[in-house]
């Protein structure tokens, strides 16, 4: 494997990303092994996909460390780039990153002219990018940066045609263009890996439970082993289990969801933060501000602070998680509320799960940002509440004025899939929240100004698996809602506003759409046939029962139009494109 041969050590905490599923034969490989093979190949872009918490960022950091340890003078230089921390990384991201490290213009010029880089780009999805970093940064073009690029991204962020965002541009007239793109998907933890992680956790953290006790609880609580196949959720579960389980023996009756793990984590984090402030040497002003927070329920004030910050990040920064402060010339005064010098803001900021790096602030994990944002739309009742199925926002009060002022009628979360996932679990846990969402949809029939709330609500209900078969949905106004995979057989949508609604893979047998407004409705992708090279020509047989494609490789494929399965494959002896197929 050239200069990258040999074994690179990956510590136990990075094992989350040691295995990837090969996209063709579904065999598990070492991710490090795949990356090193990529670095020794002619390929230029390697895409690492995985769910939130799968270990992408951890792997990227350890890859950077391993490459520096294996570095030899004159070899490629690894450069880690946290994409959300850079303004517009689609333009000059290498220069911007080097400037962060205080490189001079002369040093940057020398690197560009004489050195080859390995770019490790973390958080493509967190930057809300849709552009091709390789192409926009002109990598490997004459006179430009020479570099290979490794990009990590959450799988949920990408649509079906995502490869164009990452594949290097090649001359479409080249008969067989060099394959410059590679990808891998991080696999979930296996039961063996879960046990190894638990054993290492017990060694490092020294909790009261032994590995045997932890594994017994994980295996006996329904569906928990599936949940903790995600490394980040496993880390939350190991912290939460002693508190959530206690001395209960009937583990089969316990329900532990993802959002419950986050609730427990946040409660413990805030409790530790409050205790730390109580024992700290605070000045007179700081002690007075702390006492004031205690009088108004410190934990709830901290949660409200985190919710406001999460809302600001989504509304002011389009969800980009890194906040730069101080920056007196950017005119964004909203940052002062959270990062200014005031004692109350300082106490709250230090008590919520935030991390600071110089002028940059962000939540400890992207999913925590999304978790707090989800609590903007539904605040679960506190454990000491008399009625655990009610809360300030979920109380049974569905008047028009209440829904008009509701956060779901102010902000769209239709495309915030991770936020929706938290709210889906709230719907399944709290009937009052489900009732309120249904009331929003119903009210939209009479009050057009609640259409945003109704679209958000309908999206959440569908994602929660609520069925609408045979339901009377006449006149509902839910423009832009995502109803993909929803069940609407025999539903009545007469006169409904369904403009730009996503109905991909929805069940719509005998649904009534008379006089419904359906401009821009999406029913899913058009049928397609997958070929291994570009299609240059095609033709139907005279009887319409066969369909042929001629490819740039010279191959010809023939399909049955009844099943659209390939029935013949003809390979030409030459590699010239098949540019014409005549009906036979």
């Amino acid at each position: 494997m050239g200069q990258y041969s040999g074994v690179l050590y990956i510590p136990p905490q990075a094992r989350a990303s040691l295995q990837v599923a090969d996209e063709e034969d579904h065999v598990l490989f070492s991710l490090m092994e795949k990356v090193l093979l990529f670095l020794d190949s002619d390929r230029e872009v390697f895409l690492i996909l995985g769910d939130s918490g799968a270990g992408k960022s951890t792997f990227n950091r350890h890859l950077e460390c391993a490459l520096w340890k294996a570095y030899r003078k004159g070899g490629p230089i690894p450069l880690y780039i946290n994409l959300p921390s850079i303004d517009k990384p689609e333009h000059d991201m290498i220069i911007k990153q080097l400037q962060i490290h205080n490189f001079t213009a002369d040093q940057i010029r020398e690197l560009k002219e004489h050195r080859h880089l390995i770019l490790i780009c973390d958080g493509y999805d967190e930057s809300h990018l849709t552009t091709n970093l390789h192409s926009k940064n002109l990598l490997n073009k004459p006179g430009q940066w020479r570099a290979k690029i490794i990009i990590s991204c959450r799988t949920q962020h990408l649509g079906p045609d995502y490869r164009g965002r990452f594949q290097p541009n090649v001359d479409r007239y080249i008969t067989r263009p060099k394959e410059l793109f590679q990808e891998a998907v991080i696999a979930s933890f296996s039961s063996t890996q879960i046990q190894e992680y638990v054993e290492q956790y017990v060694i490092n953290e020294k909790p009261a439970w032994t590995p045997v006790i932890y594994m017994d609880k994980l295996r006996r609580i329904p569906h928990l082993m599936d949940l903790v196949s995600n490394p980040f959720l496993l880390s939350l579960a190991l912290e939460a289990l002693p508190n959530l389980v206690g001395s209960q023996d009937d583990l089969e009756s316990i329900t532990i969801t993802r959002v419950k793990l986050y609730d427990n984590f946040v409660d413990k984090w805030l409790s530790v933060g409050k205790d730390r402030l109580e024992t700290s040497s605070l000045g007179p002003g700081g002690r007075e501000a702390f006492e004031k927070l205690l009088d108004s329920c410190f934990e709830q004030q901290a949660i409200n602070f985190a919710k406001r910050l999460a809302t600001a990040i989504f509304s002011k920064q389009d969800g980009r998680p890194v906040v730069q402060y101080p920056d007196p010339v950017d005119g964004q005064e909203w940052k002062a509320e959270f990062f200014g010098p005031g004692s109350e803001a300082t106490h709250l900021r230090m008590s919520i799960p935030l991390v600071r790096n110089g002028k940059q602030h962000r939540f400890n994990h992207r999913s925590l940002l999304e978790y707090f944002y989800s609590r903007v739309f539904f605040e679960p009742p506190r454990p000491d509440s008399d009625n655990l199925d009610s809360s300030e926002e979920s109380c049974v009060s569905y008047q028009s004025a209440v829904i008009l002022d509701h956060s779901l009628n102010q902000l769209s979360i239709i495309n915030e899939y991770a936020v929706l996932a938290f709210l889906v679990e709230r719907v399944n846990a709290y009937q009052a929240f489900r009732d309120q969402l249904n009331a929003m949809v119903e009210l939209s029939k009479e009050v057009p100004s609640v259409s945003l709330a109704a679209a958000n609500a309908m999206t959440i209900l569908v994602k929660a698996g609520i069925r609408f078969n045979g339901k009377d949905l006449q006149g509902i106004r839910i423009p832009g809602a995502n109803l993909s995979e929803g069940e609407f057989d025999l539903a009545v949508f007469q006169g409904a506003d369904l403009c730009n609604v996503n109905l991909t893979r929805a069940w719509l047998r005998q649904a009534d759409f008379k006089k419904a407004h359906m401009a821009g409705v999406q029913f899913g992708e058009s049928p397609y046939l997958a070929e291994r090279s570009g299609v240059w020509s095609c033709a139907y047989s005279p009887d319409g029962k066969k369909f042929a494609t001629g490819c740039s490789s010279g191959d010809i494929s023939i399909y049955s139009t009844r099943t659209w399965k390939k029935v013949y494959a003809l390979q030409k002896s030459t590699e010239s494109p098949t540019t014409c197929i005549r009906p036979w």
Side-chain angles (χ1 to χ4, degrees):
M1 289 168 50
Q3 64 178 306
Y4 299 106
S5 59
V7 176
L8 292 176
Y9 172 69
I10 303 296
Q13 60 266 38
R15 291 181 184 174
S17 46
L18 271 178
Q19 289 188 328
V20 296
D22 186 271
E23 58 270 18
E24 292 187 0
D25 54 20
H26 306 292
V27 176
L28 293 179
F29 292 90
S30 159
L31 177 53
M32 182 62 78
E33 201 172 65
K34 298 273 280 187
V35 169
L36 296 183
L37 286 170
F38 159 77
L39 293 176
D40 273 340
S41 72
D42 292 330
R43 299 175 189 243
E44 297 181 10
V45 179
F46 191 100
L47 175 63
I48 299 175
L49 295 173
D51 292 337
S52 177
K56 301 181 295 299
S57 296
T58 302
F59 174 81
N60 285 338
R61 279 300 191 184
H62 286 283
L63 173 62
E64 178 196 22
C65 180
L67 292 178
W68 273 118
K69 287 181 178 179
Y71 177 75
R72 297 294 180 268
K73 186 176 180 180
I77 298 174
L79 180 64
Y80 177 88
I81 301 177
N82 183 269
L83 293 173
S85 67
I86 294 180
D87 182 43
K88 298 181 180 178
E90 62 270 30
H91 300 296
D92 299 322
M93 70 174 176
I94 298 174
I95 294 176
K96 292 172 181 175
Q97 182 65 37
L98 292 174
Q99 288 173 339
I100 291 174
H101 295 302
N102 298 316
F103 277 67
T104 66
D106 289 340
Q107 290 171 328
I108 293 173
R109 188 181 308 110
E110 192 277 336
L111 287 173
K112 186 173 184 179
E113 292 176 357
H114 303 291
R115 305 304 293 271
H116 190 110
L117 303 181
I118 300 171
L119 307 177
I120 305 170
C121 297
D122 193 39
Y124 181 92
D125 54 289
E126 294 185 40
S127 296
H128 282 219
L129 288 168
T130 58
T131 55
N132 190 311
L133 291 176
H134 183 282
S135 300
K136 289 289 186 180
N137 283 274
L138 303 176
L139 299 184
N140 303 317
K141 300 294 184 183
Q144 301 296 329
W145 291 96
R146 292 175 295 160
K148 289 177 178 285
I149 181 171
I150 299 162
I151 307 173
S152 65
C153 181
R154 285 190 295 182
T155 311
Q156 303 96 317
H157 178 74
L158 302 175
D161 300 320
Y162 64 88
R163 291 195 177 194
R165 302 190 201 176
F166 303 100
Q167 289 175 322
N169 290 334
V170 295
D171 190 337
R172 63 187 295 268
Y173 296 105
I174 297 176
T175 302
R176 279 187 177 236
K178 187 188 301 181
E179 181 56 66
L180 301 177
F181 173 75
Q182 186 176 356
E183 66 180 314
V185 180
I186 296 180
S188 301
F189 261 1
S190 66
S191 57
T192 301
Q193 288 175 309
I194 291 173
Q195 180 149 354
E196 289 176 352
Y197 189 102
V198 169
E199 291 170 353
Q200 192 65 47
Y201 173 82
V202 170
I203 292 172
N204 293 337
E205 302 298 327
K206 298 179 174 54
W209 286 3
T210 66
V212 172
I213 295 175
Y214 269 115
M215 291 305 299
D216 175 65
K217 309 296 186 188
L218 291 173
R219 289 190 174 111
R220 289 173 58 196
I221 296 174
H223 312 298
L224 190 53
M225 282 291 282
D226 291 336
L227 189 66
V228 300
S229 63
N230 179 290
F232 186 70
L233 294 182
L234 175 57
S235 68
L236 297 187
L238 297 182
E239 290 283 341
L241 274 177
N243 180 52
L244 294 177
V245 174
S247 59
Q248 293 187 62
D249 293 326
D250 184 17
L251 299 182
E252 288 74 13
S253 65
I254 296 176
T255 300
I256 295 181
T257 62
R258 188 174 69 119
V259 76
K260 186 176 286 189
L261 293 178
Y262 279 81
D263 287 342
N264 182 271
F265 170 80
V266 168
D267 288 345
K268 289 184 66 175
W269 187 285
L270 297 182
S271 177
V272 169
K274 183 176 73 171
D275 292 344
R276 183 173 60 248
L277 286 171
E278 283 182 327
T279 58
S280 297
S281 299
L282 303 175
R287 177 58 60 181
E288 181 181 351
F290 179 60
E291 296 292 341
K292 182 179 178 182
L293 289 170
L294 288 177
D295 291 341
S296 56
C297 184
F298 180 88
E299 290 86 350
Q300 191 59 52
Q301 291 300 315
I303 288 172
N304 292 340
F305 181 87
K307 287 161 59 176
R308 293 197 306 273
L309 176 56
T311 302
I313 289 174
F314 274 93
S315 61
K316 305 292 187 180
Q317 300 193 159
D318 195 27
R320 294 187 301 276
V322 176
V323 181
Q324 296 268 4
Y325 186 88
D327 193 1
V329 298
D330 70 356
Q332 298 182 41
E333 293 80 5
W334 64 269
K335 298 177 183 178
E337 175 188 351
F338 306 102
F339 306 105
S343 296
E344 183 174 316
T346 300
H347 293 339
L348 295 174
R349 184 173 66 246
M350 293 177 61
S351 301
I352 66 174
L354 280 180
V355 61
R356 176 182 176 182
N357 182 14
K359 297 179 181 180
Q360 297 181 343
H361 301 76
R362 64 181 299 166
F363 284 94
N364 289 18
H365 194 269
R366 168 76 189 196
S367 61
L368 285 167
L369 165 63
E370 293 153 340
Y371 164 82
F372 281 114
Y373 193 46
S374 75
R375 291 184 69 157
V376 172
F377 306 101
F378 175 78
E379 178 61 30
R382 296 187 58 79
D384 54 0
S385 171
D386 293 334
N387 181 3
L388 294 183
D389 199 35
S390 66
S391 70
E392 183 179 345
E393 289 213 6
S394 66
C395 60
V396 185
S397 178
Y398 306 135
Q399 296 94 339
S400 173
V402 172
I403 293 177
L404 278 169
D405 291 336
H406 197 282
S407 51
L408 283 173
N409 204 43
Q410 314 301 321
L411 301 160
S412 175
I413 55 170
I414 292 168
N415 295 317
E416 299 296 342
Y417 305 112
V419 177
L420 288 171
F422 284 115
L423 292 173
V424 161
E425 293 190 9
R426 301 294 193 194
V427 167
N428 292 325
Y430 300 100
Q431 180 65 44
F433 184 39
R434 184 188 304 185
D435 292 342
Q436 190 174 35
L437 296 177
N438 279 314
M440 292 176 180
V441 175
E442 190 67 23
L443 184 62
S444 74
K445 296 178 179 180
E446 306 296 332
V447 183
S449 54
V450 302
S451 62
L452 177 56
N456 281 323
M458 197 67 171
T459 300
I460 297 168
L461 290 168
V462 168
K463 298 311 170 192
I466 307 301
R467 298 187 177 113
F468 291 88
N469 297 323
K471 294 292 185 180
D472 180 7
L473 302 174
Q474 293 185 69
I476 64 169
R477 295 178 173 91
I478 53 170
N482 185 352
L483 310 186
S484 58
E485 300 181 354
E487 297 188 33
F488 298 97
D489 289 346
L490 302 171
V492 179
F493 286 104
Q494 288 185 21
D497 183 354
L498 304 178
C499 292
N500 300 309
V501 167
N502 185 351
L503 286 167
T504 303
R505 298 183 301 279
W507 295 72
L508 299 168
R509 185 173 58 91
Q510 297 185 38
D512 186 350
F513 290 101
K514 291 177 182 176
K515 297 183 179 181
H517 304 283
M518 302 182 68
V521 167
Q522 306 164 49
F523 288 103
E525 64 184 14
S526 300
Y528 68 92
L529 302 173
E531 294 286 1
R532 300 184 71 87
S533 59
V535 175
W536 285 61
S537 56
C538 58
Y540 282 95
S541 62
D543 61 5
K545 294 182 179 180
K546 298 289 189 296
F547 180 78
T549 62
C551 300
S552 60
S553 62
D555 297 343
I556 297 175
S557 300
I558 301 178
Y559 297 85
S560 163
T561 56
R562 185 177 64 84
T563 63
W564 289 108
K565 291 184 177 180
K566 188 181 294 188
V567 293
Y568 301 107
L570 307 176
Q571 292 185 331
K572 292 179 64 176
S573 57
T574 64
E575 293 187 357
S576 59
T578 301
T579 58
C580 180
I581 296 179
R582 292 195 178 97
W584 60 94

